Amino acid sequence: MTEHPILTETVGRVGVITLNRPRQLNALNDALMDALGAALLAFDADEAIGVIVVTGGPKAFAAGADIAAMVDWTYMDVYRSEFITRNWETIRRVRKPVIAAVAGFAMGGGCELALSCDIVIAAESAKFALPEIKLALLPGAGGTQRLPRAIGKAKAMDMCLSARTLDATEADRYGLVSRVVPDEQLMATSLALATTIAGYSLPALMALKESVNRAWEGSLAEGIAYERRELHARFASADAHEGMRAFLDKRKPEFKHR
């Protein structure tokens, strides 16, 4: 039987998506990206879920795009099918926080998938690279845009032009990942973080994520204006008033995600 390209489960208010092509080191093909996009949107629409975790296996988060599937494609094939745009960018539509839990190889499209997430937890075994230049290609799932924003132009140029691989320690020092943990603690740490975040008010989380993304993708003036509007909007939220009252009462808030 053909393996399903992803596996999903829920842990409290956390939705977990596991890439599931271990024999191909989770190489990203259309079937996997379609399934990943559908799972992301399903968890995003589920009111019982506050945070999503995307992970792979111990050897590879994702070793990149499936080259065997691409080798004979022509320009018209990729143009007419909207390669990447059609299904790789579904994650950009997700409003809830998404955490990447990365062990092993995160190469090419796998690195770009991690960069598309909001937080990246790296196991000590994690390795990151954008090696498309070796194939006379270039990163096309946002890598040339997100990587310089994450680590700066000079280091991004070094990685992209030389196909340099970063280990977890270098990736942490560069600012590509949020934190590094021992491999055996990767999922426990990621789930604990996700559970903590999911305990906060979901509308506030979504507004905060969008505000940070405005800084990431747009101008300072536009981002400040959006941030201010979202702060003002919190005062129409029942959760914000509950949070402030709980603080004054020295008790834990009971958020209703409203």
Side-chain angles (χ1 to χ4, degrees):
M1 294 179 64
T2 302
E3 293 177 333
H4 197 276
I6 66 163
L7 303 173
T8 62
E9 63 176 317
T10 59
V11 181
R13 285 183 53 78
V14 179
V16 181
I17 303 171
T18 302
L19 310 184
N20 188 44
R21 300 186 73 210
R23 286 174 291 183
Q24 296 82 20
L25 297 179
N26 292 330
L28 306 174
N29 63 5
D30 265 350
L32 188 153
M33 296 310 294
D34 285 343
L36 174 60
L40 285 166
L41 294 180
F43 279 141
D44 202 38
D46 187 343
E47 292 187 1
I49 297 298
V51 176
I52 303 167
V53 173
V54 179
T55 191
K59 293 183 178 179
F61 175 70
D66 191 338
I67 304 304
M70 299 165 51
V71 65
D72 292 322
W73 288 352
T74 66
Y75 171 76
M76 287 309 300
D77 290 332
V78 296
Y79 179 74
R80 294 179 66 181
S81 68
E82 287 195 301
F83 174 51
I84 293 178
T85 307
R86 183 183 71 257
N87 48 13
W88 288 58
E89 294 190 342
T90 304
I91 194 169
R92 297 182 62 195
R93 294 161 54 191
V94 176
R95 300 177 69 194
K96 295 173 181 175
V98 181
I99 297 173
V102 179
F105 296 111
M107 303 292 179
C111 183
E112 291 175 297
L113 176 58
L115 285 168
S116 299
C117 296
D118 303 308
I119 296 174
V120 181
I121 308 298
E124 290 174 343
S125 67
K127 297 185 183 300
F128 300 86
L130 293 175
E132 287 85 351
I133 192 63
K134 291 183 177 181
L135 307 179
L137 296 171
L138 58 87
T144 65
Q145 306 304 301
R146 293 191 179 98
L147 189 65
R149 287 168 167 79
I151 69 174
K153 176 185 174 183
K155 290 181 171 63
M157 283 288 194
D158 187 1
M159 284 185 67
C160 291
L161 296 178
S162 72
R164 180 182 177 190
T165 298
L166 299 184
D167 62 25
T169 300
E170 290 175 304
D172 187 30
R173 188 170 71 246
Y174 281 17
L176 195 155
V177 306
S178 308
R179 61 181 82 172
V180 178
V181 299
D183 282 59
E184 63 272 17
Q185 296 177 19
L186 175 64
M187 285 309 297
T189 300
S190 299
L191 288 173
L193 175 62
T195 298
T196 296
I197 295 171
Y200 300 134
S201 168
L202 181 56
L205 290 173
M206 293 191 295
L208 201 157
K209 171 175 173 170
E210 178 64 17
S211 294
V212 173
N213 279 334
R214 294 286 177 128
W216 175 262
E217 297 173 356
S219 71
L220 175 61
E222 194 268 330
I224 289 290
Y226 185 86
E227 175 193 80
R228 199 62 36 77
R229 287 195 299 271
E230 285 299 323
L231 173 62
H232 292 171
R234 293 309 93 218
F235 289 87
S237 162
D239 282 347
H241 290 283
E242 165 63 10
M244 289 186 284
R245 290 192 185 100
F247 175 81
L248 294 174
D249 295 342
K250 296 181 172 56
R251 60 176 173 82
K252 184 177 179 179
E254 296 181 7
F255 294 128
K256 304 298 184 184
H257 309 291
R258 293 290 184 268

